[in-house]
Amino acid sequence: MTADKGYRFETEVVRIEQNDRFGSSAPPLYQSATFRAQDATHAGEFEYTRIGNPTRTILQDHVAKLIGCKYVLAVNSGMACLDVITRLLEPGDELICGQVLYSGSDRLMKQAQKKSAVDLRHEDLTDFENVKTKVTKRTKMIIIESPTNPLMQVVDVRKITEFAHSVNPECIVVCDNTMNSPLLMKPLDLGVDIHYESGTKYLNGHHDLMAGVIASNRKELIEEMHSVIESIGSGLSPFDSWLLLRGIKTLVLRMERVQQNAIQLARWLESQSFKVRYPGLKSHPQYELQRSQAAGSGALFSIETGDVKLSERIVANCKIFFVTISFGCVNSLISMPFREEATGSNPRDLIRICVGIENIQDLIDDMDQAIRKARRFSDV
Ligand code: PLP
């Protein structure tokens, strides 16, 4: 995969462009709220960190280079991205999103519906025939999450975007790329207007910061969103921008390793007769679709055991897999999404597994002992 300009992605990801006057090999951290003006009438490039900060700018430029787009805005969480994006809507505007999506996104959009009178519609975006009957000239925005968290449904980003733009060229198609990272999927290349993702997950990879990035080639949208960010102060802090720049450098290595581990663990779990939802498995109904729009399937998947108590005991007996919400970390994580969401849209026995970079045999052994213990208890 080649970065937009210059070298291939693997090379560009560690080549952070900056022109520090001392030639520092790590990007400089400008932990400063304010910047001195030349004089009373001439401000410098930066004035106030809520509006702009040099370390944040280095991060934004770096991510823009990796995505191959014109503009990136870095904010303080994935949800802050969605908040800023939905503020592009006005009362009465129709917003279409998937039926089952990340619970935090669902909550935020419901708030937009209640407080800002946005006309929110949940539609099955995995069924293109259905999408064709639902998207109309009135549709102002579509928010796609693919694969969805935690049911791992893949949405045809290109087809939906092309259709939406043919019906209403003004429709803003947005894609939550958190599950893929820019290494695996570049939604702007598939035609969408705005790509956003939680930097808390794969981009950073170490669960030591919260962040979000918004990418677009549409200047007018970026300007409107930047105006919201600078008014609120939701731009990513200098220190977190600096940490994220460090985390991103190992994105390729981490993604390669977690995906190698994920496919092996998913196959092993399938061999234990569990229903495994992972687009990297041929048994996944949208295996081909994921391959056609992404360069990999990530390292998050979910399984159904058929028995809530069994699922609970498996999760409780894992030793390497930390019981933690979130994903995208170098450590393997496990959780039961039904416990986290309010809508009750996920199967109660669903276990979500985020595969890390540990030794794969240790991961399989840990899962094996947890399942054996959990099953023994069920037999008693
Ligand atoms: N999008 C998806 C698919 C997520 O899973 C999450 C968080 O889990 C978010 C967005 C929100 O990201 P953050 O937790 O950084 O606000």
Side-chain angles (χ1 to χ4, degrees):
M1 197 181 286
T2 313
D4 195 42
K5 61 177 173 145
Y7 300 102
R8 290 174 177 77
F9 196 101
E10 294 86 335
T11 309
E12 290 294 352
V13 80
V14 291
R15 280 170 55 89
I16 298 169
E17 280 163 35
Q18 43 103 359
N19 51 3
D20 175 55
R21 67 188 177 117
F22 300 111
S24 68
S25 45
L29 166 58
Y30 286 88
Q31 189 64 40
S32 180
T34 51
F35 297 84
R36 266 182 262 158
Q38 285 163 23
D39 56 50
T41 50
H42 297 92
E45 190 181 345
F46 296 97
E47 289 177 279
Y48 195 47
T49 282
R50 177 155 50 73
I51 300 165
N53 175 281
T55 310
R56 192 190 303 144
T57 296
I58 296 171
L59 169 72
Q60 292 177 161
D61 291 348
H62 189 55
V63 176
K65 180 183 70 171
L66 297 176
I67 290 176
C69 69
K70 287 191 183 146
Y71 314 103
V72 163
L73 300 168
V75 291
N76 52 28
S77 70
M79 294 317 297
C81 295
L82 190 59
D83 178 41
V84 168
I85 292 165
T86 50
R87 283 168 195 250
L88 293 167
L89 295 168
E90 287 176 12
D93 279 350
E94 184 184 277
L95 163 63
I96 293 184
C97 64
Q99 266 168 347
V100 183
L101 45 144
Y102 166 57
S103 55
S105 306
D106 196 50
R107 192 170 45 235
L108 198 137
M109 281 190 262
K110 289 208 165 83
Q111 281 166 6
Q113 178 183 34
K114 202 166 155 202
K115 300 280 182 195
S116 315
V118 166
D119 183 5
L120 174 65
R121 293 168 187 234
H122 289 276
E123 303 294 351
D124 181 2
L125 299 182
T126 61
D127 177 356
F128 183 60
E129 292 309 310
N130 175 53
V131 172
K132 285 204 302 204
T133 64
K134 299 295 167 19
V135 175
T136 67
K137 283 190 170 26
R138 283 196 59 239
T139 310
K140 185 72 199 288
M141 184 180 281
I142 302 178
I143 298 184
I144 299 171
E145 186 183 312
S146 181
T148 59
N149 171 13
L151 293 181
M152 308 305 296
Q153 291 167 328
V154 184
V155 176
D156 195 327
V157 181
R158 186 182 273 121
K159 235 177 179 177
I160 291 184
T161 307
E162 270 171 13
F163 181 74
H165 286 159
S166 72
V167 174
N168 175 14
E170 299 299 311
C171 178
I172 303 170
V173 184
V174 180
C175 182
D176 179 342
N177 198 44
T178 305
M179 301 281 262
N180 306 294
S181 88
L183 175 68
L184 303 186
M185 192 163 96
K186 293 185 174 171
L188 295 177
D189 291 353
L190 300 172
V192 310
D193 302 279
I194 300 175
H195 155 179
Y196 80 95
E197 63 185 72
S198 165
T200 318
K201 320 287 190 214
Y202 291 115
L203 270 188
N204 182 53
H206 295 78
H207 276 187
D208 49 14
L209 63 83
M210 307 282 309
V213 294
I214 304 170
S216 180
N217 288 316
R218 290 184 55 182
K219 195 171 180 205
E220 77 288 2
L221 295 181
I222 287 287
E223 279 174 354
E224 202 174 329
M225 289 187 284
H226 182 256
S227 153
V228 172
I229 294 167
E230 71 172 28
S231 305
I232 300 172
S234 54
L236 193 60
S237 76
F239 184 59
D240 286 342
S241 300
W242 182 85
L243 261 187
L244 183 53
L245 277 163
R246 188 172 69 162
I248 287 178
K249 284 187 187 175
T250 53
L251 176 69
V252 177
L253 286 180
R254 286 186 283 104
M255 291 310 283
E256 281 175 2
R257 176 59 172 251
V258 293
Q259 289 186 106
Q260 281 165 13
N261 282 352
I263 188 72
Q264 291 187 66
L265 186 64
R267 283 193 187 126
W268 183 84
L269 284 162
E270 209 169 37
S271 76
Q272 305 297 304
S273 310
F274 295 124
K275 176 176 176 182
V276 183
R277 295 170 176 265
Y278 181 48
L281 285 174
K282 286 197 175 137
S283 55
H284 191 282
Q286 292 135 341
Y287 168 78
E288 289 300 340
L289 177 58
Q290 178 70 8
R291 276 167 68 94
S292 73
Q293 63 186 16
S297 299
L300 188 83
F301 60 79
S302 46
I303 65 169
E304 283 161 70
T305 66
D307 178 345
V308 188
K309 290 282 168 219
L310 180 66
S311 295
E312 284 172 357
R313 283 195 294 271
I314 292 173
V315 171
N317 283 311
C318 280
K319 291 179 182 150
I320 298 178
F321 293 82
F322 299 145
V323 184
T324 308
I325 57 169
S326 195
F327 61 92
C329 185
V330 287
N331 297 92
S332 291
L333 312 172
I334 195 162
S335 62
M336 291 189 67
F338 182 76
R339 301 255 165 270
E340 298 153 28
E341 42 106 35
T343 51
S345 43
N346 293 315
R348 294 177 67 99
D349 63 331
L350 195 79
I351 300 177
R352 195 182 71 174
I353 298 170
C354 165
V355 187
I357 65 170
E358 300 92 340
N359 180 285
I360 183 59
Q361 198 52 53
D362 283 341
L363 294 180
I364 292 176
D365 290 349
D366 189 32
M367 199 51 85
D368 193 24
Q369 65 79 26
I371 293 168
R372 280 173 200 275
K373 268 193 202 147
R375 281 191 172 142
R376 248 199 320 272
F377 192 85
S378 321
D379 293 343
V380 176

